[in-house]
Amino acid sequence: MSHELQISKYEKEEIGRALIRPPKMYGKVILSVVFLLLLAFSYSIFIGSLDFRPYFFPLLPEQKQQRSQSCDYEPLKVYMYDLPRRFHVGMMDPEGPQGEEPVTAENIPQWPENAGVRKQHSVEYWLMASLLFEGRGREAVRVLDPEVADAFYVPFFSSLSFNTHGHNMTDPATEGDRKLQVEIMDMLHKSKYWQRSAGRDHVIPMTHPNAFRFLRQELNASILIVVDFGRYPRSLSTLSKDIVAPYVHVVDSYTNDTAKDPYESRKTLLFFRGSTVRKDEGKVRAKLEKILLGQEHIRYERGRPTTHAIQASTEGMRSSKFCLHPAGDTPSSCRLFDAIVSHCVPVVVSDKIELPYEDEIDYTKFSLFFSDTEALQPGFLINKLSEFPKEKWLEMWRNLKNISHHFEFQFPPAKGDAVDMLWRQLRRKLPGVQLATHRRHRLRVPDWWRRR
């Protein structure tokens, strides 16, 4: 007789439900895992390691460029020589401290508001200030160990030195400028980092055409920061080696340019204010005055660089459609960059001008260019500007508003401002510096190929 376990119908149903339903412990484990996954997912989005915006909101071209610039490489590492104050900020206030106390982001003096047109040559100050700033997201950062530096910045305010020591080039007080240059070059020649590359990876600001005038030829291998090449022989400065910087604008930036119809609100067709007696290429100013003076809707005014003149230029540029930029003593001048931050379409009459950041910025998108020969034809400029289409002008005006931040010098520095753009230019020069330095180390007959 077989013995079978007798199970009721009710007990069979309970056993079935138990087999289908997981124990409560497993359910809690599953819920915990799901919760942790959701938490990690949310945190990743919060800190930015996961970004779904590109899938739903495609970046504009400019945004793509900014993202690639901020993510594709590390900041440039720049070693800044620690010089006594008399070589830089001490000249801003001769009555102030001149000792050995290091300049920091906290104690660097502000650029004086009453500096007038000296401000246009203050690129050297803003480059130094940017290296003192320790914020994130910059194109270049200061390193204290020269062994890890990509480049070396020499914070000698050579332009301010020229403007400070003597009123003209024959003034005996210019001896002070010469002595500073001698001290700087003596220090550099003793530096093993200068000797290592013959100064090729050293950055020297020289934005005044007479800056470093006594010993500038000793800098012919270094990376010079200039505003143009009008006063420099090719043996000293070239476009392939050096960096073209903008002048620091002296008029205030037009930050509230929000007219409903900016074309109609700017009643003046063409504006110019400045000296008409200049040297070299600047002689074109006097010739243009004869053609343009007294013409309807044209303001061609003589003026010296005073506080009142700067205010008059600010008003004139903001109320004009076009701003004339003829050459001065050298091919460029501050006037071009005053026009840009005033959103007044520049009309450039300068056959030998070179422009900042031109590998990144197409100036024809917001400026007009004419040769001296074209501009000096009677009626040529007036006809060209009078017939210029309103829609095309409005497009240029919008482009000016979009790019004007690239010409702002400020502290603290900001991403994409003038100093940031200059450090970016330096990065592009360094491969050529490394090539020249490496060749110099192994060549026994220097530059033999030039003798062929």
Side-chain angles (χ1 to χ4, degrees):
M1 181 177 175
S2 61
H3 299 280
E4 296 183 358
L5 181 64
Q6 298 297 318
I7 301 176
S8 69
K9 180 180 179 181
Y10 172 78
E11 289 173 329
K12 289 179 180 180
E13 291 177 353
E14 282 298 315
I15 292 173
R17 280 196 292 268
L19 291 173
I20 295 172
R21 183 178 60 228
K24 290 184 178 180
M25 180 180 68
Y26 294 154
K28 290 180 178 180
V29 170
I30 293 172
L31 289 174
S32 299
V33 171
V34 171
F35 174 76
L36 290 172
L37 287 174
L38 289 173
L39 182 63
F41 181 77
S42 303
Y43 183 69
S44 298
I45 295 176
F46 177 74
I47 65 173
S49 61
L50 287 178
D51 189 357
F52 289 95
R53 289 174 297 174
Y55 297 100
F56 302 102
F57 307 102
L59 293 175
L60 296 174
E62 183 176 343
Q63 292 172 314
K64 289 180 180 178
Q65 182 182 15
Q66 290 174 352
R67 174 168 289 196
S68 65
Q69 289 166 352
S70 63
C71 300
D72 287 353
Y73 49 74
E74 293 182 354
L76 196 67
K77 295 186 286 291
V78 180
Y79 178 82
M80 180 165 61
Y81 283 92
D82 191 10
L83 302 178
R85 286 172 173 256
R86 68 179 184 276
F87 289 98
H88 38 72
V89 297
M91 288 184 279
M92 295 169 60
D93 180 14
E95 304 300 322
Q98 302 291 320
E100 304 295 325
E101 179 188 2
V103 182
T104 66
E106 288 71 32
N107 65 20
I108 186 172
Q110 292 185 352
W111 185 263
E113 293 292 333
N114 60 351
V117 293
R118 287 189 178 187
K119 180 182 179 183
Q120 66 182 326
H121 300 298
S122 62
V123 173
E124 53 205 11
Y125 166 85
W126 301 104
L127 287 169
M128 177 182 181
S130 75
L131 291 177
L132 296 174
F133 182 66
E134 297 182 356
R136 300 180 62 184
R138 293 170 298 153
E139 195 72 27
V141 295
R142 184 186 186 185
V143 293
L144 301 180
D145 181 3
E147 292 292 339
V148 302
D150 300 312
F152 296 78
Y153 180 66
V154 183
F156 171 45
F157 290 2
S158 59
S159 296
L160 185 58
S161 182
F162 174 79
N163 283 324
T164 301
H165 297 98
H167 298 287
N168 55 60
M169 295 177 67
T170 60
D171 192 328
T174 59
E175 178 64 12
D177 183 24
R178 189 191 70 80
K179 287 182 177 179
L180 289 176
Q181 293 175 35
V182 170
E183 285 188 69
I184 283 290
M185 293 312 305
D186 182 60
M187 180 272 294
L188 289 175
H189 286 314
K190 293 177 180 177
S191 166
K192 73 173 186 178
Y193 302 103
W194 175 276
Q195 296 170 9
R196 185 175 64 186
S197 68
R200 286 180 172 85
D201 54 2
H202 282 54
V203 181
I204 316 287
M206 276 177 28
T207 54
H208 192 289
N210 295 319
F212 232 120
R213 67 187 181 97
F214 294 103
L215 300 177
R216 59 171 54 168
Q217 201 60 42
E218 297 186 32
L219 304 171
N220 63 351
S222 300
I223 300 173
L224 307 180
I225 296 183
V226 301
V227 291
D228 58 37
F229 300 93
R231 296 275 179 88
Y232 307 131
R234 291 185 180 180
S235 60
L236 172 67
S237 185
T238 63
L239 188 60
S240 61
K241 173 179 73 73
D242 300 322
I243 297 172
V244 179
Y247 282 92
V248 182
H249 63 84
V250 297
V251 304
D252 292 335
S253 300
Y254 198 0
T255 56
N256 60 337
D257 187 6
T258 57
K260 291 184 178 179
D261 190 340
Y263 184 87
E264 297 299 335
S265 68
R266 294 174 180 247
K267 303 300 182 182
T268 301
L269 178 65
L270 180 65
F271 176 81
F272 171 84
R273 183 181 179 87
S275 174
T276 58
V277 180
R278 309 306 295 178
K279 305 171 187 176
D280 303 324
E281 291 89 350
K283 294 176 181 178
V284 72
R285 293 188 183 185
K287 297 176 182 179
L288 286 169
E289 182 181 32
K290 294 178 181 179
I291 296 173
L292 299 174
L293 190 64
Q295 297 290 330
E296 188 178 9
H297 303 305
I298 305 291
R299 289 177 59 182
Y300 201 99
E301 304 170 354
R302 294 185 180 184
R304 297 182 62 82
T306 63
T307 301
H308 171 73
I310 292 174
Q311 293 173 346
S313 293
T314 301
E315 179 276 326
M317 289 184 172
R318 293 183 181 186
S319 59
S320 301
K321 296 178 177 67
F322 298 95
C323 287
L324 184 62
H325 172 72
D329 289 343
T330 61
S332 186
S333 79
C334 183
R335 188 169 291 98
L336 170 61
F337 308 101
D338 287 343
I340 287 175
V341 300
S342 301
H343 311 150
C344 180
V345 174
V347 177
V348 180
V349 180
S350 182
D351 292 343
K352 299 178 181 179
I353 193 170
E354 294 295 342
L355 299 168
Y357 339 128
E358 203 163 7
D359 56 345
E360 296 191 58
I361 293 179
D362 182 357
Y363 283 76
T364 63
K365 300 294 186 182
F366 53 83
S367 308
L368 299 177
F369 293 86
F370 301 106
S371 68
D372 290 0
T373 302
E374 290 173 321
L376 292 177
Q377 296 176 30
F380 177 86
L381 276 181
I382 296 176
N383 290 338
K384 284 288 185 180
L385 301 182
S386 298
E387 297 170 358
F388 199 79
K390 177 179 178 178
E391 288 305 316
K392 182 64 176 176
W393 184 91
L394 288 171
E395 180 184 345
M396 286 189 164
W397 173 79
R398 286 189 290 267
N399 290 337
L400 281 169
K401 295 184 70 174
N402 287 335
I403 59 88
S404 61
H405 66 284
H406 294 313
F407 300 90
E408 296 291 353
F409 290 86
Q410 56 201 339
F411 186 79
K415 190 69 177 175
D417 68 5
V419 165
D420 207 52
M421 296 287 282
L422 289 176
W423 290 128
R424 193 182 303 168
Q425 292 292 302
L426 173 60
R427 182 186 295 276
R428 297 190 175 102
K429 301 292 182 181
L430 293 181
V433 169
Q434 292 175 347
L435 171 63
T437 301
H438 295 166
R439 290 185 71 251
R440 175 178 174 270
H441 287 165
R442 57 93 176 167
L443 284 178
R444 293 297 177 263
V445 181
D447 292 338
W448 61 268
W449 54 273
R450 291 187 180 180
R451 304 179 185 183
R452 296 179 63 180

